[in-house]
Amino acid sequence: GFLLNSAHAELGGNPKALNQHPVGENTAWEYALDAQGKMWLAYYGSDNLLYVRRTDGTELTLGAQDRDRAMSGLALDAGQDSLTLMWRDKVPEKTLNFIPNLAATGPLPAPLSVGGDSQPLIRMEVAKRGNDAYLLWLGEKPDRETRQRYHLYFRHIKDGGQTISEVTQVMPSIYPMWIVDQKNIAVFSWVRTPEKKVIAIRHFDQASGQFEPMVEIAQAPDQLPPIYRSFASAGRWLVMWLGQYGDGKDFLLEGAYSEDKGKTWKHFAFESVKGLDLSYLATATDGKGHIALAFSGTRRLRDDNPNAKNDVYFTASADNGATWSKPRTLRTDEQQLTHAKFPSLS
């Protein structure tokens, strides 16, 4: 079996197992810190039940135990002293389950079914802001008007689950990505139709409860892998993506930023690492206009070299994304004999 571990420097290298039930090698798991910095953990066991570890270390079991189940997908966010949680079950039909407030103590509340007829898939996001929660997920219900099968869907949960908005189809996409703060919700998409291929945004207006019309950010290539990030930094919104050009081997890390809440955008690209097929991208900001990016990747496809090693690169901006340092590797030539992947920033 495998363990989900936690360790601090003062423990002297003795990690603490967080899971009480066996998990598989590729198990899905997520964690969130509440307002006091206490950790909630959710993970799928090898029995396909969903387990939630409360901040006091006790575990709850979620999922039907009196019938077949096929649970997948996981999104969570922590509030003051509770957890907001969302997951999917395919049996007996595709259902998106949601718990708006799982308290640190007490019984397990019954989940709400929130996916409507969207046919939800495993890609999903949830954000808790005060007593409200916002849900974003990918569904595969075909739409005759858009002539697309995959769309992003949205719901706004108010008053701790007492008031639930209708399901809103936001726009065609395959990657749920957004920025959420106390006043704004910005949903990003790679829109790929016979007429256009663009990176786009729709802004949710809190006052009206409606999404504003779609704004095109930049032209996009025919192929876009799931290296896709959006975040806010000192009043700017930024979105980044990895484009595949030409025969699919000309990878290019690109981005854009907006200073007017998504109305207009300025594009940038990291030409010096063109051809690098990214395996991971991490971002960090300090809220004062300093941004750091760390990413791993290899040029195995461009160079037709299946033995090429993944390496880690770092770049930073001191002017809130207007200009960037030249991406550089963090390892010496001797260290590049091995793979380096999945960098982390904080």
Side-chain angles (χ1 to χ4, degrees), residues 20-92:
Q20 298 178 14
H21 296 82
V23 297
E25 181 178 3
N26 298 312
T27 191
W29 62 276
E30 297 285 346
Y31 77 92
L33 302 179
D34 67 13
Q36 290 76 39
K38 296 180 180 179
M39 185 178 68
W40 291 82
L41 172 72
Y43 66 93
Y44 283 105
S46 55
D47 52 9
N48 192 236
L49 286 169
L50 179 59
Y51 297 98
V52 175
R53 183 184 190 272
R54 282 171 156 159
T55 55
D56 64 359
T58 60
E59 280 196 357
L60 298 171
T61 304
L62 288 73
Q65 301 185 48
D66 58 351
R67 61 166 173 81
D68 292 337
R69 60 185 175 274
M71 301 198 300
S72 57
L74 182 60
L76 58 143
D77 196 9
Q80 184 68 25
D81 55 2
S82 64
L83 185 72
T84 298
L85 180 70
M86 185 163 65
W87 73 98
R88 185 188 76 145
D89 195 347
K90 289 175 61 177
V91 177

Side-chain angles (χ1 to χ4, degrees), residues 273 276 293-299 310-315 327-330 343:
V273 289
L276 190 71
L293 304 179
F295 49 91
S296 58
T298 173
R299 290 185 172 88
N310 269 271
D311 207 351
V312 172
Y313 297 81
F314 177 84
T315 180
R328 58 185 176 86
T329 181
L330 299 179

Side-chain angles (χ1 to χ4, degrees), residues 303-331:
D303 298 342
D304 194 23
N305 179 11
N307 297 318
K309 303 298 183 183
N310 269 271
D311 207 351
V312 172
Y313 297 81
F314 177 84
T315 180
S317 173
D319 52 14
N320 217 17
T323 61
W324 297 86
S325 64
K326 183 178 180 180
R328 58 185 176 86
T329 181
L330 299 179
R331 300 196 302 164

Side-chain angles (χ1 to χ4, degrees), residues 198-234:
V198 297
I199 305 296
I201 179 178
R202 289 193 71 185
H203 179 250
F204 180 72
D205 180 56
Q206 296 273 22
S208 66
Q210 302 292 324
F211 278 92
E212 296 174 353
M214 186 178 73
V215 173
E216 296 182 6
I217 297 173
Q219 296 296 313
D222 290 342
Q223 300 180 68
L224 205 74
I227 299 296
Y228 196 16
R229 299 288 184 271
S230 58
F231 56 96
S233 172

Side-chain angles (χ1 to χ4, degrees), residues 78-156:
Q80 184 68 25
D81 55 2
S82 64
L83 185 72
T84 298
L85 180 70
M86 185 163 65
W87 73 98
R88 185 188 76 145
D89 195 347
K90 289 175 61 177
V91 177
E93 60 184 5
K94 294 188 183 75
T95 303
L96 194 61
N97 299 297
F98 174 70
I99 296 179
N101 285 296
L102 175 56
T105 60
L108 176 66
L112 306 174
S113 178
V114 295
D117 63 353
S118 64
Q119 300 185 30
L121 298 173
I122 65 172
R123 292 175 179 169
M124 59 189 71
E125 301 286 346
V126 61
K128 185 176 180 65
R129 298 293 183 269
N131 208 29
D132 290 4
Y134 304 96
L135 316 180
L136 182 69
W137 70 92
L138 176 64
E140 63 174 347
K141 178 186 176 182
D143 186 291
R144 291 183 179 179
E145 183 176 343
T146 65
R147 292 175 293 170
Q148 299 290 305
R149 179 177 181 180
Y150 301 102
H151 297 82
L152 297 183
Y153 294 87
F154 173 88
R155 291 192 95 161
H156 181 191

